Amino acid sequence: FSQKPSKPSLIMAADGKINIFVQLDMNGNKSHCFRLKPDDTVTALIEAIKREEGPQVDDVTLIRAAKPMRTKNNNGTAMKLSDYNCYDNVNIFASLRLIGGAQDPNVAPAAAGGDGGSNMRKFNTEKVVKLGGSLAFKQGSTTAYKDCPLYVGGTDSCGESSIPKAKLPCGCVFCADCMCTTLDMIVKIGGGIKLHCGDSAHGDHILNEMLLYEIAALTGLEKQEKDIILSKNYMKRIDAEMHVCFNDKCKRFIHRPKGNLAAKVECTVCHKFNCWYCQREWKGDKSCNNEDCNMVAKINQVIELGQMKTINATHGAKQCWDTRFCPVKTCSAVNAHGTRCQKVTCQVCNTLYCHLCLGLWDKPGGCKYGGNCEPKPKKLVTAAELPL
């Protein structure tokens, strides 16, 4: 059934199910609520969406906060909703690719935001410990808590020794108020897509977002608000798997078919063409023709996001950059190498080429170099290499 999200419940229902709110557009005009168990699979949620939306749905992409939701992990194991920390009344964004499309949707008012927090927060110590945190007492004391540094605040530390403080696995110490302030700075002001402790020295130390939410003593509505902001921050990035249709009367979430990195993307709901790079209307033929859309910089950003990998070529294992610009002069696609040998099919122009040397795959058994083919280094593009 379709409805707007209600006030979050902090208690799971007797049947063990939780509410999953699935939002299909940025305006909040189109949403569904599904009741599923946390141990249900992501595939089960996708199938529920398809049943609700009808047989015209060809493909579904899901994002929870700033995390794309996969149906299986790298080992082929089915992913569950609990693997993505789906709590009761969680908000998930869904992009649908439709068969045959639909009519332009009507404009609707944006959904209301979340509520604010209190001036003095305290977290539940038992829940924090259960999620992997620990209590940060001063040495030799079981009642006085350590100071927590404010990495993003206006003072050097928080010295409230009577307020519970939690120690993260990375070693940082936070009270509820300081954690809430840190998360707000990362999410709302910094435009971040990954929650962390705020200490740059800890880099990509993996932290359980539910632990951070619990330390910050967030209400259900505050969790929803941060998840939505994280999703919006993520969809603004060039490497996001989901964007928002530029059409103000639509604003449905859009995604590209798997493996397709083309710049021109059609919204299958309103049938308008979007530029994936500047996220505005595609007005031209070979390029979007938006004055300040720097396709070269955007394409190179995608290439830079690649990495070195070992490719099992037909003549032995070779180290090569895994993300390449299509060598065909009339194409502007960026292709990522899959799991096969060096033979690659461009997802846009369907040309076969060698991922190592970028030569055409036009000889029996390979490119023109055959067994002497060696990988070219990572290569960025220039304006001269883009199709006219």
Side-chain angles (χ1 to χ4, degrees), residues 98-124:
L98 306 181
I99 302 172
Q103 295 180 345
D104 284 352
N106 296 321
V107 179
D115 61 346
S118 59
N119 291 327
M120 184 61 70
R121 296 169 177 263
K122 290 185 180 180
F123 55 75
N124 183 311

PDB file of all heavy atoms in Angstrom, residues 98-124:
ATOM      1  N   LEU A  98      11.372   1.325 -16.196  1.00  0.00           N
ATOM      2  CA  LEU A  98      10.081   0.816 -16.636  1.00  0.00           C
ATOM      3  C   LEU A  98      10.111   0.346 -18.085  1.00  0.00           C
ATOM      4  O   LEU A  98      10.837   0.895 -18.919  1.00  0.00           O
ATOM      5  CB  LEU A  98       9.007   1.897 -16.479  1.00  0.00           C
ATOM      6  CG  LEU A  98       8.863   2.531 -15.093  1.00  0.00           C
ATOM      7  CD1 LEU A  98       7.747   3.563 -15.104  1.00  0.00           C
ATOM      8  CD2 LEU A  98       8.609   1.480 -14.037  1.00  0.00           C
ATOM      9  N   ILE A  99       9.306  -0.653 -18.367  1.00  0.00           N
ATOM     10  CA  ILE A  99       9.121  -1.117 -19.742  1.00  0.00           C
ATOM     11  C   ILE A  99       7.988  -0.298 -20.350  1.00  0.00           C
ATOM     12  O   ILE A  99       6.854  -0.375 -19.903  1.00  0.00           O
ATOM     13  CB  ILE A  99       8.740  -2.605 -19.773  1.00  0.00           C
ATOM     14  CG1 ILE A  99       9.824  -3.438 -19.090  1.00  0.00           C
ATOM     15  CG2 ILE A  99       8.511  -3.073 -21.201  1.00  0.00           C
ATOM     16  CD1 ILE A  99       9.452  -4.886 -18.908  1.00  0.00           C
ATOM     17  N   GLY A 100       8.273   0.524 -21.335  1.00  0.00           N
ATOM     18  CA  GLY A 100       7.230   1.326 -21.961  1.00  0.00           C
ATOM     19  C   GLY A 100       6.996   2.665 -21.307  1.00  0.00           C
ATOM     20  O   GLY A 100       6.331   3.521 -21.862  1.00  0.00           O
ATOM     21  N   GLY A 101       7.552   2.882 -20.078  1.00  0.00           N
ATOM     22  CA  GLY A 101       7.440   4.177 -19.426  1.00  0.00           C
ATOM     23  C   GLY A 101       6.060   4.470 -18.895  1.00  0.00           C
ATOM     24  O   GLY A 101       5.210   3.613 -18.771  1.00  0.00           O
ATOM     25  N   ALA A 102       5.828   5.722 -18.543  1.00  0.00           N
ATOM     26  CA  ALA A 102       4.551   6.152 -17.986  1.00  0.00           C
ATOM     27  C   ALA A 102       4.358   7.615 -18.290  1.00  0.00           C
ATOM     28  O   ALA A 102       5.214   8.277 -18.856  1.00  0.00           O
ATOM     29  CB  ALA A 102       4.531   5.907 -16.473  1.00  0.00           C
ATOM     30  N   GLN A 103       3.218   8.170 -17.940  1.00  0.00           N
ATOM     31  CA  GLN A 103       2.943   9.577 -18.176  1.00  0.00           C
ATOM     32  C   GLN A 103       3.671  10.433 -17.159  1.00  0.00           C
ATOM     33  O   GLN A 103       4.087   9.965 -16.099  1.00  0.00           O
ATOM     34  CB  GLN A 103       1.440   9.835 -18.085  1.00  0.00           C
ATOM     35  CG  GLN A 103       0.640   9.132 -19.178  1.00  0.00           C
ATOM     36  CD  GLN A 103      -0.835   9.411 -19.040  1.00  0.00           C
ATOM     37  OE1 GLN A 103      -1.294   9.884 -18.010  1.00  0.00           O
ATOM     38  NE2 GLN A 103      -1.579   9.126 -20.087  1.00  0.00           N
ATOM     39  N   ASP A 104       3.817  11.736 -17.469  1.00  0.00           N
ATOM     40  CA  ASP A 104       4.446  12.641 -16.528  1.00  0.00           C
ATOM     41  C   ASP A 104       3.650  12.677 -15.235  1.00  0.00           C
ATOM     42  O   ASP A 104       2.440  12.863 -15.247  1.00  0.00           O
ATOM     43  CB  ASP A 104       4.487  14.072 -17.098  1.00  0.00           C
ATOM     44  CG  ASP A 104       5.564  14.217 -18.152  1.00  0.00           C
ATOM     45  OD1 ASP A 104       6.355  13.290 -18.337  1.00  0.00           O
ATOM     46  OD2 ASP A 104       5.606  15.280 -18.768  1.00  0.00           O
ATOM     47  N   PRO A 105       4.303  12.505 -14.072  1.00  0.00           N
ATOM     48  CA  PRO A 105       3.587  12.602 -12.817  1.00  0.00           C
ATOM     49  C   PRO A 105       3.275  14.055 -12.494  1.00  0.00           C
ATOM     50  O   PRO A 105       3.881  14.975 -13.027  1.00  0.00           O
ATOM     51  CB  PRO A 105       4.580  12.012 -11.806  1.00  0.00           C
ATOM     52  CG  PRO A 105       5.915  12.235 -12.428  1.00  0.00           C
ATOM     53  CD  PRO A 105       5.713  12.152 -13.914  1.00  0.00           C
ATOM     54  N   ASN A 106       2.318  14.281 -11.618  1.00  0.00           N
ATOM     55  CA  ASN A 106       1.946  15.629 -11.205  1.00  0.00           C
ATOM     56  C   ASN A 106       2.858  16.116 -10.095  1.00  0.00           C
ATOM     57  O   ASN A 106       3.460  15.340  -9.369  1.00  0.00           O
ATOM     58  CB  ASN A 106       0.489  15.654 -10.706  1.00  0.00           C
ATOM     59  CG  ASN A 106      -0.478  15.309 -11.822  1.00  0.00           C
ATOM     60  OD1 ASN A 106      -0.285  15.733 -12.951  1.00  0.00           O
ATOM     61  ND2 ASN A 106      -1.492  14.524 -11.503  1.00  0.00           N
ATOM     62  N   VAL A 107       2.933  17.413  -9.949  1.00  0.00           N
ATOM     63  CA  VAL A 107       3.750  18.001  -8.897  1.00  0.00           C
ATOM     64  C   VAL A 107       3.047  17.808  -7.568  1.00  0.00           C
ATOM     65  O   VAL A 107       1.841  17.953  -7.460  1.00  0.00           O
ATOM     66  CB  VAL A 107       3.963  19.507  -9.160  1.00  0.00           C
ATOM     67  CG1 VAL A 107       4.784  20.134  -8.052  1.00  0.00           C
ATOM     68  CG2 VAL A 107       4.639  19.708 -10.499  1.00  0.00           C
ATOM     69  N   ALA A 108       3.809  17.483  -6.559  1.00  0.00           N
ATOM     70  CA  ALA A 108       3.251  17.330  -5.216  1.00  0.00           C
ATOM     71  C   ALA A 108       4.168  18.014  -4.222  1.00  0.00           C
ATOM     72  O   ALA A 108       5.362  18.153  -4.462  1.00  0.00           O
ATOM     73  CB  ALA A 108       3.106  15.857  -4.866  1.00  0.00           C
ATOM     74  N   PRO A 109       3.648  18.484  -3.070  1.00  0.00           N
ATOM     75  CA  PRO A 109       4.492  19.136  -2.078  1.00  0.00           C
ATOM     76  C   PRO A 109       5.532  18.178  -1.514  1.00  0.00           C
ATOM     77  O   PRO A 109       5.282  16.978  -1.427  1.00  0.00           O
ATOM     78  CB  PRO A 109       3.502  19.565  -0.987  1.00  0.00           C
ATOM     79  CG  PRO A 109       2.139  19.202  -1.446  1.00  0.00           C
ATOM     80  CD  PRO A 109       2.265  18.373  -2.670  1.00  0.00           C
ATOM     81  N   ALA A 110       6.671  18.719  -1.152  1.00  0.00           N
ATOM     82  CA  ALA A 110       7.723  17.895  -0.578  1.00  0.00           C
ATOM     83  C   ALA A 110       7.303  17.377   0.785  1.00  0.00           C
ATOM     84  O   ALA A 110       6.535  18.009   1.499  1.00  0.00           O
ATOM     85  CB  ALA A 110       9.021  18.712  -0.451  1.00  0.00           C
ATOM     86  N   ALA A 111       7.826  16.196   1.139  1.00  0.00           N
ATOM     87  CA  ALA A 111       7.477  15.615   2.431  1.00  0.00           C
ATOM     88  C   ALA A 111       8.129  16.407   3.549  1.00  0.00           C
ATOM     89  O   ALA A 111       9.194  16.990   3.398  1.00  0.00           O
ATOM     90  CB  ALA A 111       7.958  14.161   2.477  1.00  0.00           C
ATOM     91  N   ALA A 112       7.472  16.408   4.700  1.00  0.00           N
ATOM     92  CA  ALA A 112       7.977  17.155   5.856  1.00  0.00           C
ATOM     93  C   ALA A 112       9.228  16.490   6.394  1.00  0.00           C
ATOM     94  O   ALA A 112       9.395  15.269   6.322  1.00  0.00           O
ATOM     95  CB  ALA A 112       6.906  17.211   6.940  1.00  0.00           C
ATOM     96  N   GLY A 113      10.124  17.284   6.977  1.00  0.00           N
ATOM     97  CA  GLY A 113      11.362  16.770   7.523  1.00  0.00           C
ATOM     98  C   GLY A 113      11.201  16.234   8.923  1.00  0.00           C
ATOM     99  O   GLY A 113      10.112  16.163   9.477  1.00  0.00           O
ATOM    100  N   GLY A 114      12.331  15.832   9.532  1.00  0.00           N
ATOM    101  CA  GLY A 114      12.285  15.234  10.856  1.00  0.00           C
ATOM    102  C   GLY A 114      12.226  16.265  11.959  1.00  0.00           C
ATOM    103  O   GLY A 114      12.248  17.474  11.733  1.00  0.00           O
ATOM    104  N   ASP A 115      12.125  15.751  13.202  1.00  0.00           N
ATOM    105  CA  ASP A 115      12.052  16.657  14.346  1.00  0.00           C
ATOM    106  C   ASP A 115      13.433  16.974  14.857  1.00  0.00           C
ATOM    107  O   ASP A 115      14.424  16.403  14.458  1.00  0.00           O
ATOM    108  CB  ASP A 115      11.201  16.021  15.462  1.00  0.00           C
ATOM    109  CG  ASP A 115      11.804  14.710  15.958  1.00  0.00           C
ATOM    110  OD1 ASP A 115      12.704  14.149  15.286  1.00  0.00           O
ATOM    111  OD2 ASP A 115      11.366  14.249  17.010  1.00  0.00           O
ATOM    112  N   GLY A 116      13.526  17.891  15.794  1.00  0.00           N
ATOM    113  CA  GLY A 116      14.808  18.299  16.349  1.00  0.00           C
ATOM    114  C   GLY A 116      15.158  17.493  17.576  1.00  0.00           C
ATOM    115  O   GLY A 116      14.364  16.714  18.098  1.00  0.00           O
ATOM    116  N   GLY A 117      16.361  17.681  18.083  1.00  0.00           N
ATOM    117  CA  GLY A 117      16.796  16.946  19.258  1.00  0.00           C
ATOM    118  C   GLY A 117      16.722  17.787  20.515  1.00  0.00           C
ATOM    119  O   GLY A 117      16.451  18.974  20.491  1.00  0.00           O
ATOM    120  N   SER A 118      16.939  17.160  21.640  1.00  0.00           N
ATOM    121  CA  SER A 118      16.902  17.877  22.915  1.00  0.00           C
ATOM    122  C   SER A 118      18.251  18.506  23.181  1.00  0.00           C
ATOM    123  O   SER A 118      19.237  18.204  22.541  1.00  0.00           O
ATOM    124  CB  SER A 118      16.559  16.890  24.033  1.00  0.00           C
ATOM    125  OG  SER A 118      17.529  15.863  24.085  1.00  0.00           O
ATOM    126  N   ASN A 119      18.299  19.396  24.202  1.00  0.00           N
ATOM    127  CA  ASN A 119      19.536  20.094  24.518  1.00  0.00           C
ATOM    128  C   ASN A 119      20.523  19.199  25.249  1.00  0.00           C
ATOM    129  O   ASN A 119      21.715  19.386  25.163  1.00  0.00           O
ATOM    130  CB  ASN A 119      19.232  21.335  25.366  1.00  0.00           C
ATOM    131  CG  ASN A 119      18.501  22.401  24.575  1.00  0.00           C
ATOM    132  OD1 ASN A 119      18.726  22.529  23.383  1.00  0.00           O
ATOM    133  ND2 ASN A 119      17.618  23.136  25.234  1.00  0.00           N
ATOM    134  N   MET A 120      20.027  18.234  26.025  1.00  0.00           N
ATOM    135  CA  MET A 120      20.910  17.340  26.776  1.00  0.00           C
ATOM    136  C   MET A 120      20.526  15.907  26.456  1.00  0.00           C
ATOM    137  O   MET A 120      19.470  15.432  26.849  1.00  0.00           O
ATOM    138  CB  MET A 120      20.798  17.594  28.278  1.00  0.00           C
ATOM    139  CG  MET A 120      21.762  16.779  29.123  1.00  0.00           C
ATOM    140  SD  MET A 120      23.493  17.125  28.735  1.00  0.00           S
ATOM    141  CE  MET A 120      23.653  18.788  29.371  1.00  0.00           C
ATOM    142  N   ARG A 121      21.393  15.212  25.763  1.00  0.00           N
ATOM    143  CA  ARG A 121      21.102  13.851  25.342  1.00  0.00           C
ATOM    144  C   ARG A 121      21.869  12.854  26.210  1.00  0.00           C
ATOM    145  O   ARG A 121      22.967  13.142  26.687  1.00  0.00           O
ATOM    146  CB  ARG A 121      21.526  13.644  23.879  1.00  0.00           C
ATOM    147  CG  ARG A 121      20.772  14.491  22.886  1.00  0.00           C
ATOM    148  CD  ARG A 121      21.439  14.427  21.526  1.00  0.00           C
ATOM    149  NE  ARG A 121      20.689  15.192  20.545  1.00  0.00           N
ATOM    150  CZ  ARG A 121      19.805  14.667  19.699  1.00  0.00           C
ATOM    151  NH1 ARG A 121      19.579  13.369  19.718  1.00  0.00           N
ATOM    152  NH2 ARG A 121      19.170  15.420  18.839  1.00  0.00           N
ATOM    153  N   LYS A 122      21.286  11.682  26.394  1.00  0.00           N
ATOM    154  CA  LYS A 122      21.960  10.582  27.074  1.00  0.00           C
ATOM    155  C   LYS A 122      21.642   9.302  26.326  1.00  0.00           C
ATOM    156  O   LYS A 122      20.497   9.054  25.969  1.00  0.00           O
ATOM    157  CB  LYS A 122      21.522  10.477  28.532  1.00  0.00           C
ATOM    158  CG  LYS A 122      22.010  11.611  29.419  1.00  0.00           C
ATOM    159  CD  LYS A 122      21.634  11.379  30.873  1.00  0.00           C
ATOM    160  CE  LYS A 122      22.132  12.506  31.757  1.00  0.00           C
ATOM    161  NZ  LYS A 122      21.768  12.305  33.184  1.00  0.00           N
ATOM    162  N   PHE A 123      22.678   8.503  26.080  1.00  0.00           N
ATOM    163  CA  PHE A 123      22.441   7.266  25.348  1.00  0.00           C
ATOM    164  C   PHE A 123      22.166   6.110  26.308  1.00  0.00           C
ATOM    165  O   PHE A 123      22.437   6.187  27.521  1.00  0.00           O
ATOM    166  CB  PHE A 123      23.620   6.936  24.435  1.00  0.00           C
ATOM    167  CG  PHE A 123      24.966   6.871  25.122  1.00  0.00           C
ATOM    168  CD1 PHE A 123      25.311   5.784  25.918  1.00  0.00           C
ATOM    169  CD2 PHE A 123      25.900   7.887  24.945  1.00  0.00           C
ATOM    170  CE1 PHE A 123      26.548   5.716  26.537  1.00  0.00           C
ATOM    171  CE2 PHE A 123      27.147   7.819  25.550  1.00  0.00           C
ATOM    172  CZ  PHE A 123      27.468   6.733  26.353  1.00  0.00           C
ATOM    173  N   ASN A 124      21.624   5.045  25.765  1.00  0.00           N
ATOM    174  CA  ASN A 124      21.358   3.814  26.509  1.00  0.00           C
ATOM    175  C   ASN A 124      22.660   3.011  26.551  1.00  0.00           C
ATOM    176  O   ASN A 124      23.126   2.504  25.536  1.00  0.00           O
ATOM    177  CB  ASN A 124      20.244   3.016  25.826  1.00  0.00           C
ATOM    178  CG  ASN A 124      19.856   1.767  26.585  1.00  0.00           C
ATOM    179  OD1 ASN A 124      20.701   0.975  26.983  1.00  0.00           O
ATOM    180  ND2 ASN A 124      18.557   1.584  26.762  1.00  0.00           N
TER     181      ASN A 124
END
